[in-house]
Amino acid sequence: MKDILELLKNINKRIYLFFLFIVILLNFGIWKALKTNKEFIIKTGNLLLGSAWSFVFVIVLIISVLLLMKKSDRESNKYVHEHLFQPSKYETDGNIVNASFIKAYKNKGSNEIVGSIKVKINNLSEDKIDLIKGRVFFYKEKTRMKRIDFEIVDLNAGFSELIFFSHVNDDINYLLDWEFFELSIIELKRNQSVVTNKTYRSETLYKTNYFILNIDKFLDYRILGIRLKYNLAWIKRKLRTEIIPRITFLYKRKTYYLNSKPPFLKELFALLQRFIAFTIVYACVIFFIILIIYALYDIYSFINNMIKLWVPIVAAKI
């Protein structure tokens, strides 16, 4: 009953409150009527036993649907997080040093994800760099969006130094919206050699807005036109790409002949196999639908008989 009330609450709060009021009222009236009408208890028991399988079937079906929707909600939200909060790393070219941009995320709490942005200078050589001065520029549409100045001393071989750190939500640094970045070396000293005025560039980053253009693949809260609180994108994607194709595969043609006619008997036998598989699949689907309809009709008949049996008595007791 708790799961049924939860489903009604998710569909419509008014229906949920009305149903809850009716249940409380009927429980109060039936409790008073039970004390003085024992013969009606026997009739009620017989009616309930006659429709017991229908109640069990419908309750199991509703609970299964609720559990499936909850799993879909978890998996769908996980898919959204994997797409939106995917770590990324971009680097400039360079044989001695290069610059890298790193965006990473971590869970701070049950419902909170914190993102960070790091810009590093990396020593790619096998020697220690005594001094390196330079700048990192971020560009968008040929416009310089951000400049980071740095001066580093004694950077060991294979090591990196962090020259910038920011949280993802802090967009005032213009490091969430750029197309490419450059490392401009003003002066670099190592092993008594000096390198000046060198520039290294990253690859151009093209943003496709895939999430916005395909929002229905990530967020879908409707079923049969009814909005629920569960994200059903995962289960709909599973049905569309895995479950239904596997079922239809059972009765689809699997053998094709090129540049020759198929053997008549073999083709006739394959056609018969596909027809039998098609018949079995759709017979099972139709049987399940009929089973649901029959169970609902049986419950409706039980409720109708209960109303005829108990309403006059309950009304007299309320």
Side-chain angles (χ1 to χ4, degrees):
M1 180 61 70
K2 181 181 178 181
D3 292 317
I4 297 175
L5 290 175
E6 183 180 353
L7 180 62
L8 290 171
K9 185 177 181 180
N10 293 331
I11 294 175
N12 192 299
K13 290 185 178 180
R14 293 181 180 178
I15 296 177
Y16 165 75
L17 293 174
F18 175 76
F19 184 80
L20 186 62
F21 173 75
I22 294 297
V23 169
I24 295 174
L25 188 63
L26 287 176
N27 286 338
F28 176 73
I30 291 173
W31 175 254
K32 294 183 66 177
L34 286 175
K35 296 181 179 180
T36 56
N37 297 276
K38 294 184 179 180
E39 60 177 310
F40 290 95
I41 299 176
I42 298 175
K43 293 181 180 180
T44 301
N46 292 332
L47 290 173
L48 186 60
L49 287 175
S51 302
W53 78 270
S54 298
F55 279 99
V56 172
F57 175 76
V58 171
I59 291 172
V60 169
L61 183 63
I62 291 174
I63 293 174
S64 300
V65 170
L66 280 173
L67 293 175
L68 189 60
M69 288 193 296
K70 290 179 179 180
K71 179 176 176 58
S72 178
D73 188 64
R74 290 195 303 269
E75 295 295 330
S76 299
N77 293 334
K78 180 181 177 182
Y79 186 59
V80 171
H81 286 179
E82 288 177 353
H83 182 81
L84 292 182
F85 305 113
Q86 184 177 9
S88 56
K89 182 178 180 180
Y90 306 95
E91 294 182 328
T92 64
D93 51 10
N95 53 359
I96 300 176
V97 294
N98 74 349
S100 59
F101 173 92
I102 302 169
K103 183 168 64 173
Y105 296 90
K106 65 177 181 179
N107 292 323
K108 190 176 181 180
S110 58
N111 296 316
E112 185 178 3
I113 297 178
V114 177
S116 61
I117 293 173
K118 299 177 183 179
V119 179
K120 294 182 179 181
I121 301 299
N122 311 300
N123 184 355
L124 304 178
S125 69
E126 297 180 355
D127 303 311
K128 183 175 73 170
I129 295 177
D130 301 313
L131 173 68
I132 177 172
K133 294 181 182 179
R135 302 183 180 96
V136 178
F137 301 106
F138 288 84
Y139 294 90
K140 180 182 179 182
E141 298 176 353
K142 298 182 180 180
T143 301
R144 187 179 294 171
M145 307 296 294
K146 178 72 175 177
R147 186 183 81 180
I148 304 173
D149 298 302
F150 65 89
E151 181 176 338
I152 303 171
V153 295
D154 297 331
L155 184 59
N156 292 328
F159 278 70
S160 303
E161 180 147 335
L162 181 68
I163 62 171
F164 179 86
F165 176 85
S166 176
H167 292 292
V168 169
N169 295 332
D170 189 11
D171 199 22
I172 61 174
N173 293 293
Y174 303 106
L175 287 184
L176 290 178
D177 192 16
W178 50 268
E179 293 177 350
F180 67 92
F181 62 98
E182 290 180 344
L183 169 61
S184 176
I185 297 177
I186 300 173
E187 183 181 8
L188 186 150
K189 295 180 180 180
R190 72 181 182 107
N191 287 341
Q192 299 180 350
S193 64
V194 179
V195 177
T196 59
N197 300 324
K198 293 285 290 185
T199 300
Y200 302 103
R201 175 174 168 165
S202 72
E203 295 181 352
T204 302
L205 174 64
Y206 296 98
K207 296 183 179 180
T208 61
N209 294 318
Y210 179 81
F211 180 81
I212 297 174
L213 296 175
N214 299 274
I215 191 70
D216 57 325
K217 294 183 179 180
F218 298 91
L219 302 173
D220 191 344
Y221 291 88
R222 291 189 176 276
I223 181 170
L224 300 177
I226 301 173
R227 180 176 176 84
L228 304 176
K229 72 174 184 178
Y230 302 111
N231 189 350
L232 305 177
W234 176 81
I235 186 60
K236 288 185 178 181
R237 185 170 59 253
K238 284 286 185 182
L239 285 171
R240 184 173 59 253
T241 61
E242 295 184 26
I243 298 175
I244 293 178
R246 288 181 180 179
I247 294 174
T248 56
F249 176 78
L250 297 174
Y251 56 82
K252 283 188 174 181
R253 185 170 184 165
K254 302 175 183 63
T255 304
Y256 293 88
Y257 298 88
L258 298 176
N259 302 323
S260 63
K261 291 184 178 180
F264 176 75
L265 291 178
K266 184 179 290 187
E267 186 70 10
L268 182 62
F269 181 71
L271 180 62
L272 182 61
Q273 283 182 320
R274 295 200 305 271
F275 177 75
I276 293 173
F278 176 86
T279 304
I280 292 174
V281 167
Y282 281 91
C284 292
V285 173
I286 293 172
F287 175 76
F288 186 71
I289 293 174
I290 291 175
L291 196 64
I292 294 175
I293 294 174
Y294 183 81
L296 293 175
Y297 178 77
D298 189 39
I299 293 174
Y300 167 78
S301 300
F302 169 80
I303 294 174
N304 190 39
N305 291 329
M306 287 291 292
I307 290 174
K308 292 178 180 179
L309 180 66
W310 283 98
V311 164
I313 301 173
V314 173
K317 297 295 181 178
I318 296 178

